[in-house]
Amino acid sequence: MTGRKLILPLFLAVTLAACSDSSQQTANGAAGGALERPPQPVSIVALKKSQQPITTVLPGRAVAYQTADIRPRVTGAIKEIAFKEGSEVKAGDILYQIEDNTYSATVAQARATLSKAEVSIPAAQANLTRYERLVNSGATQIEFENARVTLLQAEADVEQAKAALQAAEIDLDLTKIRAPFDGVTSISNVSVGNIVTANQTTALTTLRRLDPIYIDLIDSSTNLLELRGAMASGRLSGDPRKADIRLRLEDGTEYSRTGKLDMADMAVSETTGTYQIRALFENPDNIILPGMYVRATVTMGEENGYLIPQRAATRNARGELSAKFVATDGKVETRTFPVSVVSGNNWLVTEGIADGDRLIVDGFQWIADGAPVQPVEVQLDDRGLVIEAPKAEAAKP
């Protein structure tokens, strides 16, 4: 009995020791396997310093190049509407015809008055000539002066009649309401037979010129100060007044034509801290209509630096740009850039990078600093996306 009691504890001790050795070997094997895992392939691009455009994206709204509310300048009934609503018209085209009977009669009356006044001039001139010959042989000086005044009055009557005729002809012509410039009409607010009055507050229709067209952009005064500072320091080259401006429409499509800066306000809004920039675009197909919202990419100038695709970078809690690189020892490192500006779909930085540095552009979100990686050089498209992915054999150890 005593021997059996000694054998049982000894057996249990041997069994536990065997289990412990087995667990230790399994852990060591796992650890050894982790150390032997090959470096993970990552997509990289080798950076090189170059002159790049500095861009900014601004919200904007389309505004007609010219706008005119068409109102009558004489009173009468609408006789004819000579345009199709929403159609294009040329400068001088008749839009409305007002009843002109009374205005034609006024012109005829003014012509008669002018003829009557003109008839009196020869008689007054002859009378003055006669008194001029007789002034020293019986005619008094007073009679001569009266004859001269009569002639002057007759001539003044003629001029007055001419002015009245001209005014009557102008009123007659104003019964034809014409387009002041090339443009597109809106809906007519009157119909044939409606009575309209001179200079009424309600417009008959609105005419807009859409080609070219204005784009009103809004920018912050902070950006304005930064731009002036960059130009003053010589860091930014180029003239912002000659900047190219491209548009992206409400549906996300890019407008095919490039615009130019037309003017900029010389005052900042007291309520929003922004100022207005006006750009001018050709619009031959009327694709852009007044009131449309757009986003404009404005090229402000050029600066020498390195491009980091926006998709390959993040921002830390302080708002600083950060990106991951492959260091010379083949391990991942994160770099932070306190100063960065927009250049298309990229960030442009001027410090903290040297020619040949390898930027990780794909899969960097899941790679920790210090991890060994296998860099595979790729190409990027204009949006910063990888267009040449790592080959399958590159992933093999």
Side-chain angles (χ1 to χ4, degrees):
M1 288 293 292
T2 304
R4 298 174 68 181
K5 291 180 179 180
L6 293 174
I7 291 174
L8 183 58
L10 181 60
F11 176 76
L12 292 174
V14 172
T15 302
L16 291 173
C19 290
S20 176
D21 291 342
S22 177
S23 300
Q24 184 67 31
Q25 290 176 2
T26 301
N28 290 339
L35 293 175
E36 293 174 1
R37 182 178 298 171
Q40 180 179 350
V42 293
S43 302
I44 63 98
V45 290
L47 300 183
K48 185 177 181 181
K49 197 170 189 178
S50 60
Q51 196 80 2
Q52 298 293 338
I54 301 301
T55 60
T56 182
V57 179
L58 303 176
R61 193 170 188 177
V63 178
Y65 184 76
Q66 287 178 291
T67 302
D69 289 333
I70 306 301
R71 294 184 175 88
R73 295 172 60 185
V74 294
T75 300
I78 296 294
K79 179 180 179 181
E80 179 187 2
I81 299 176
F83 69 96
K84 182 179 179 180
E85 295 172 320
S87 65
E88 294 185 356
V89 296
K90 298 294 184 180
D93 286 354
I94 296 176
L95 303 179
Y96 296 92
Q97 174 66 59
I98 296 176
E99 288 284 357
D100 59 358
N101 296 341
T102 57
Y103 295 98
S104 297
T106 302
V107 169
Q109 183 180 5
R111 286 195 180 124
T113 302
L114 175 60
S115 298
K116 181 180 179 181
E118 288 175 337
V119 168
S120 63
I121 288 182
Q125 181 66 55
N127 191 42
L128 176 63
T129 302
R130 183 169 63 87
Y131 277 113
E132 189 176 11
R133 291 197 305 267
L134 297 176
V135 69
N136 296 322
S137 59
T140 64
Q141 185 68 28
I142 295 177
E143 290 174 326
F144 171 74
E145 292 296 334
N146 288 339
R148 189 167 67 86
V149 169
T150 300
L151 175 61
L152 292 176
Q153 185 174 357
E155 291 174 342
D157 289 342
V158 169
E159 294 301 320
Q160 184 178 9
K162 287 181 178 179
L165 175 59
Q166 184 179 13
E169 289 175 338
I170 290 174
D171 285 344
L172 177 61
D173 185 64
L174 289 177
T175 60
K176 296 178 175 63
I177 302 176
R178 304 177 185 272
F181 50 80
D182 296 354
V184 178
T185 59
S186 66
I187 296 175
S188 177
N189 296 320
V190 295
S191 301
V192 173
N194 289 159
I195 301 298
V196 295
T197 58
N199 303 317
Q200 64 185 37
T201 57
T202 303
L204 305 183
T205 187
T206 299
L207 184 65
R208 297 180 178 91
R209 182 177 176 183
L210 305 182
D211 182 29
I213 195 165
Y214 285 129
I215 303 295
D216 285 347
L217 307 173
I218 300 297
D219 198 4
S220 68
S221 57
T222 302
N223 289 345
L224 176 62
L225 294 175
E226 291 178 353
L227 174 63
R228 289 179 174 176
M231 292 181 62
S233 64
R235 183 168 56 88
L236 185 66
S237 61
D239 187 354
R241 292 172 295 182
K242 300 178 181 179
D244 287 336
I245 305 175
R246 303 197 68 87
L247 293 182
R248 190 168 294 277
L249 306 179
E250 291 176 309
D251 61 354
T253 59
E254 186 171 338
Y255 188 58
S256 59
R257 298 177 181 269
T258 301
K260 292 294 183 181
L261 181 68
D262 184 69
M263 59 82 66
D265 272 349
M266 297 305 293
V268 176
S269 171
E270 297 179 0
T271 56
T272 62
T274 60
Y275 70 105
Q276 182 172 302
I277 302 171
R278 173 163 281 184
L280 188 64
F281 282 80
E282 294 181 0
N283 189 34
D285 300 321
N286 294 341
I287 293 176
I288 304 175
L289 298 178
M292 277 187 175
Y293 286 99
V294 297
R295 296 189 67 82
T297 300
V298 185
T299 302
M300 309 301 294
E302 292 185 342
E303 188 172 0
N304 207 21
Y306 299 90
L307 291 180
I308 297 180
Q310 293 184 1
R311 295 176 179 270
T314 57
R315 294 277 178 181
N316 59 24
R318 295 188 297 273
E320 297 172 329
L321 188 73
S322 64
K324 292 186 177 182
F325 291 77
V326 178
T328 54
D329 59 0
K331 296 182 179 180
V332 176
E333 65 175 6
T334 299
R335 299 184 192 176
T336 301
F337 307 97
V339 179
S340 60
V341 293
V342 177
S343 179
N345 291 315
N346 306 281
W347 297 106
L348 184 69
V349 298
T350 57
E351 299 177 351
I353 302 178
D355 285 352
D357 283 358
R358 297 173 292 179
L359 171 69
I360 301 176
V361 295
D362 193 23
F364 59 89
Q365 299 92 336
W366 298 278
I367 304 175
D369 285 0
V373 292
Q374 179 183 350
V376 179
E377 190 164 352
V378 297
Q379 296 178 353
L380 304 177
D381 61 12
D382 295 337
R383 297 174 296 171
L385 298 176
V386 175
I387 57 176
E388 184 178 323
K391 297 181 180 179
E393 57 267 26
K396 298 178 180 180

